[in-house]
Amino acid sequence: MANIAKLFTVRAQTLVQAAARQPQVAARFSSTSTGNWEFIKTEVAGEKKNVAVITLNRPKALNALCNGLMKELSTALKGYGKDSKIAAIVLTGSEKAFAAGADIKEMAPNTYSQCIQGNFLNDWTEVARTQKPIIAAVNGYALGGGCELAMMCDIIYAGEKAKFGQPEIALGTIPGAGGTQRLTRVVGKSKAMEMCLTGNMINAQEAEKVGLVSKVVPADQLLGEAIKLGEKIGTHSNLIVQLCKESVNTAYETTLQEGLKFERRTFHATFSTADRKEGMQAFVEKRPANFISE
């Protein structure tokens, strides 16, 4: 047990040190602002211009997730991840489709050996690896890879007409980017089995009911609400937000007792930060905190 506690202590201290170094990478990620993309659009939103918005942009293909799109998304996320001015990221699509799935025409010729040797879908993992909070703003269809992409994000807001599903079974395959894994952890075995084995879709209201979605809003208000959420997150210490995100994610990867140890050690580690001291001092003095992400 002592070794486990030591492991979590070291991991928590490493997270603090890594996150504390991030403000030193202060150069603005210029390429995300140029709009020089083929399959996505990017902009910075919010009153403080601290919320990055990435829009999937293949309207004729209902934002089908081709290799080019996922590589551009990965590049944009890495850039925003290094930008000290960005507090949160919103990932969205069109009102008709967040993403209707992977690009089947592109995928169909693949062979088993090609998938293995080319590490197929590897470029998709950057979404789950990004340290900063990512909010999925889902309108329309989020099917197959689109549903999996939304689940890689930290929070899902849905438009009232959004639909979620894992229809891969009808194509003679199974979900390959987390559909059988993340969905089960979120909605439970029975509902995940039903969705994955039938390919049936669920609407936004049911998705909220089973815990897949945290909020349902009118479609025309969705992006604004997601940006507001990003702005709210941005009022806190970016450093502590990243540590908190890591702690919540750890709950999915460990036992309860191991997760509790990790949480406590990360909590202890925050006492080495300037932002923890500032936050508590500001509370005592009844004034807004001035966080510096250190």
Side-chain angles (χ1 to χ4, degrees), residues 146-207:
C147 186
E148 291 170 315
L149 181 62
M151 289 191 291
M152 291 180 202
C153 299
D154 302 300
I155 300 169
I156 303 177
Y157 273 16
E160 56 192 355
K161 295 182 180 180
K163 293 185 181 297
F164 299 83
Q166 298 292 159
E168 290 89 347
I169 197 77
L171 300 176
T173 186
I174 71 169
T180 65
Q181 302 301 303
R182 290 189 175 93
L183 188 62
T184 303
R185 285 165 169 78
V186 173
V187 305
K189 177 184 175 182
S190 182
K191 176 57 71 173
M193 278 288 193
E194 179 185 12
M195 292 176 66
C196 290
L197 297 184
T198 66
N200 291 346
M201 295 183 289
I202 60 173
N203 60 29
Q205 292 71 28
E206 185 173 1

Side-chain angles (χ1 to χ4, degrees), residues 253-269:
E253 301 167 2
T254 62
T255 65
L256 175 60
Q257 289 305 311
E258 290 173 339
L260 289 170
K261 289 185 179 73
F262 178 76
E263 176 191 70
R264 188 168 302 144
R265 292 305 181 228
T266 303
F267 166 69
H268 291 164

Side-chain angles (χ1 to χ4, degrees), residues 23-65:
Q24 299 174 10
V25 189
R28 194 77 166 171
F29 182 56
S30 59
S31 66
T32 58
S33 301
T34 64
N36 189 26
W37 306 100
E38 183 178 358
F39 302 114
I40 65 174
K41 294 180 180 179
T42 58
E43 61 179 312
V44 178
E47 291 184 7
K48 295 183 179 180
K49 297 297 181 183
N50 63 346
V51 179
V53 179
I54 302 175
T55 304
L56 307 181
N57 187 36
R58 294 188 71 202
K60 293 182 179 179
L62 296 179
N63 292 330
L65 304 175

Side-chain angles (χ1 to χ4, degrees), residues 29 32 37 40 42 54 70-83 89-91 123-132 134 149:
F29 182 56
T32 58
W37 306 100
I40 65 174
T42 58
I54 302 175
M70 295 308 296
K71 287 179 180 178
E72 287 188 356
L73 176 58
S74 179
T75 299
L77 288 171
K78 288 177 181 177
Y80 283 131
K82 295 176 182 178
D83 191 333
I89 301 166
V90 173
L91 180 60
D123 287 328
W124 293 40
T125 58
E126 188 61 35
V127 181
R129 286 201 305 259
T130 300
Q131 286 184 297
K132 294 184 178 180
I134 304 180
L149 181 62

Side-chain angles (χ1 to χ4, degrees), residues 3 9 13 23 27 49 53 56 79 123 128 153 161 165 182 197 209 227 232 259 271 275 284-285:
N3 289 335
T9 300
Q13 290 173 341
K49 297 297 181 183
V53 179
L56 307 181
D123 287 328
C153 299
K161 295 182 180 180
R182 290 189 175 93
L197 297 184
K209 180 181 178 181
I227 291 171
K232 174 63 176 179
F271 281 76
D275 281 350
V284 171
E285 296 176 359

